[in-house]
Amino acid sequence: MVCQSRPDTAVPFRQFVLKTHSRCNLACTYCYIYAGPDRSWRERPPHAPPGTVRQTALRIAEHVRAHGLRDIRVDLHGGEPLLTGPGPLLDQAAALRAALPPDCRAHLGVQTNGTLLTEPVLDALAGAGFRVGLSLDGGTPGLNRRRLDHAGRASWPAASRAARLLARRPDVFAGILCTIDLTSDPAGVYRSLRALGPPMLDFLLPHANWTSRPPVPPGPAGPTPYGDWLCTVFDLWWGEPGPAPRVRLFTEIIGLLLGRPSTSEAVGLSPVVALVVDTDGAIEQVDSLKSAYEGAAATGLDVFRNSFDEALDHPGMAARRLGAGGLCAQCRSCPLLTVCGGGNYAHRYRAGGTGFRNPSVYCADLERVIRHIASRLASEVRAG
């Protein structure tokens, strides 16, 4: 997700996540959408009708003109956005370009599980100016054992084909998103993904909270298992002798330690400036909130009746643009406040009254990895 560089409740949206398909051809065991508490996807149209696509494009253009935006990011998601082939994605891009003023540039992206990505599909997407991101749990069949289709068949053969196609098209390859699995060796995961040649890797903490705790494998575990996992990967990445992919979480933390603003919702205090438009035109907050409870991402607004400026005023949207003012007292008094920023908003949820006004359920893990990176950075500076 894109973040604005300074906390401000009035900043406009700059990233628009458009759901082109509300279903998925995989049944990943850890999916927070289809295996989580929010079942609203069942009520959505399977794919966005042309009228919804056109109206969404008009709303984006309206927002761009109202705020004088020169650059926006538009990501087409699902479900699996390629379930109906590239045609609807190309239509969405065409509708958007027809609606936007000529002085605004739209950076287009598609996030896919890769199983439906073929060379002709990739050619079509590249020709329309899309960059393509891939979701994987690692670069081997064994590491992707949780990513199965609805018949229980492995997705890896098709996903690995997609990875090879994208590796040959660095101009189109946006990178790989990988959800952390503590049962997988961090060094093995990093090296296997590194071998696929992505320009960027992003290691994601599983969407969990104080009510639905993060998965921890059976047996003895330290107090910071996710932080330890990430520290192992960081040391491998930091010590790479040659060019290495950008690892988004690590570069974000390094930038924050050096005083730069964040551009990710995972860390830092910069307000998130993204919204989601579902296949029925509903305007929603980011999908990660659906891991908390049924309806957590809902706003009650839609592109047919409401502008995106109205969405800016929604209490849920506003709360995520408050910076330090939106955090609990424990976070505000923490010495790592400006770097951690309370972590991902969805990970702060606790049922029973406090809602999202809590530290992240990964608080100790975030402290572990931030302090580790700070120590390595300080050593490098002293040695330099």
Side-chain angles (χ1 to χ4, degrees):
M1 292 296 165
V2 174
C3 296
Q4 180 71 13
S5 62
R6 65 183 180 88
D8 187 335
T9 57
V11 294
F13 296 112
R14 295 179 181 273
Q15 182 188 11
F16 305 89
V17 180
L18 311 182
K19 298 295 190 75
T20 60
H21 210 291
S22 64
R23 306 296 191 267
C24 188
N25 59 331
L26 296 187
C28 302
T29 59
Y30 57 91
C31 182
Y32 67 93
I33 296 291
Y34 302 107
D38 191 304
R39 314 298 283 175
S40 58
W41 62 271
R42 293 178 179 271
E43 311 302 322
R44 312 284 192 197
H47 53 83
T52 303
V53 169
R54 289 192 296 271
Q55 183 62 23
T56 301
L58 292 173
R59 287 298 188 193
I60 292 173
E62 175 185 55
H63 198 69
V64 163
R65 290 188 175 92
H67 297 277
L69 303 181
R70 297 291 177 263
D71 284 273
I72 60 170
R73 177 172 153 185
V74 179
D75 291 302
L76 304 190
H77 273 244
E80 170 48 49
L82 291 176
L83 267 173
T84 49
L89 281 67
L90 305 184
D91 292 344
Q92 194 115 38
L96 183 65
R97 290 192 170 112
L100 283 176
D103 58 351
C104 179
R105 181 182 179 189
H107 304 268
L108 303 178
V110 177
Q111 190 66 32
T112 175
N113 60 37
T115 57
L116 303 172
L117 190 66
T118 62
E119 194 152 11
V121 170
L122 186 55
D123 286 343
L125 294 175
F130 282 99
R131 300 190 74 220
V132 180
L134 195 57
S135 297
L136 292 174
D137 291 343
T140 68
L143 291 171
N144 286 273
R145 63 190 178 278
R146 302 181 299 166
R147 299 180 68 81
L148 307 172
D149 69 11
H150 293 276
R153 295 170 297 200
S155 65
W156 176 251
S160 60
R161 177 199 64 215
R164 291 192 298 272
L165 287 172
L166 286 167
R168 297 199 294 266
R169 301 287 295 271
D171 57 320
V172 183
F173 199 179
I176 295 175
L177 302 185
C178 174
T179 301
I180 296 170
D181 176 6
L182 291 182
T183 66
S184 296
D185 171 53
V189 172
Y190 174 70
R191 290 185 177 122
S192 67
L193 290 173
R194 171 82 173 82
L196 298 177
M200 185 277 292
L201 293 172
D202 203 0
F203 293 103
L204 310 176
L205 293 165
H207 286 314
N209 53 64
W210 292 104
T211 299
S212 180
R213 295 299 186 101
V216 178
T224 58
Y226 287 91
D228 297 343
W229 198 99
L230 284 165
C231 287
T232 298
V233 175
F234 177 83
D235 288 342
L236 287 168
W237 175 75
W238 188 256
E240 286 268 16
R246 181 171 72 94
V247 178
R248 188 179 185 192
L249 178 63
F250 300 157
T251 56
E252 286 287 321
I253 291 173
I254 290 169
L256 287 160
L257 288 166
L258 296 175
R260 295 179 58 189
S262 62
T263 60
S264 164
E265 66 175 338
V267 287
L269 287 170
S270 299
V272 176
V273 287
L275 60 71
V276 176
V277 179
D278 219 310
T279 56
D280 59 353
I283 300 171
E284 298 204 325
Q285 301 178 69
V286 293
D287 272 353
S288 57
L289 293 179
K290 294 182 178 181
S291 62
Y293 59 88
E294 177 84 36
T299 66
L301 309 176
D302 65 68
V303 295
F304 299 102
R305 297 177 298 120
N306 306 103
S307 69
F308 291 150
D309 270 14
E310 290 177 77
L312 283 174
D313 294 331
H314 184 273
M317 297 283 194
R320 297 171 60 248
R321 298 196 305 276
L322 291 175
L327 298 176
C328 66
Q330 179 180 332
C331 289
R332 292 198 304 272
S333 63
C334 177
L336 299 181
L337 168 66
T338 57
V339 180
C340 173
N344 189 300
Y345 190 83
H347 300 166
R348 306 173 200 170
Y349 179 71
R350 188 194 299 268
T354 53
F356 295 96
R357 210 168 179 84
N358 304 287
S360 169
V361 72
Y362 294 106
C363 177
D365 298 283
L366 290 169
E367 180 175 1
R368 166 86 169 96
V369 70
I370 290 168
R371 291 192 182 279
H372 181 77
I373 292 175
S375 175
R376 293 298 305 269
L377 187 61
S379 297
E380 201 76 17
V381 171
R382 288 194 297 269

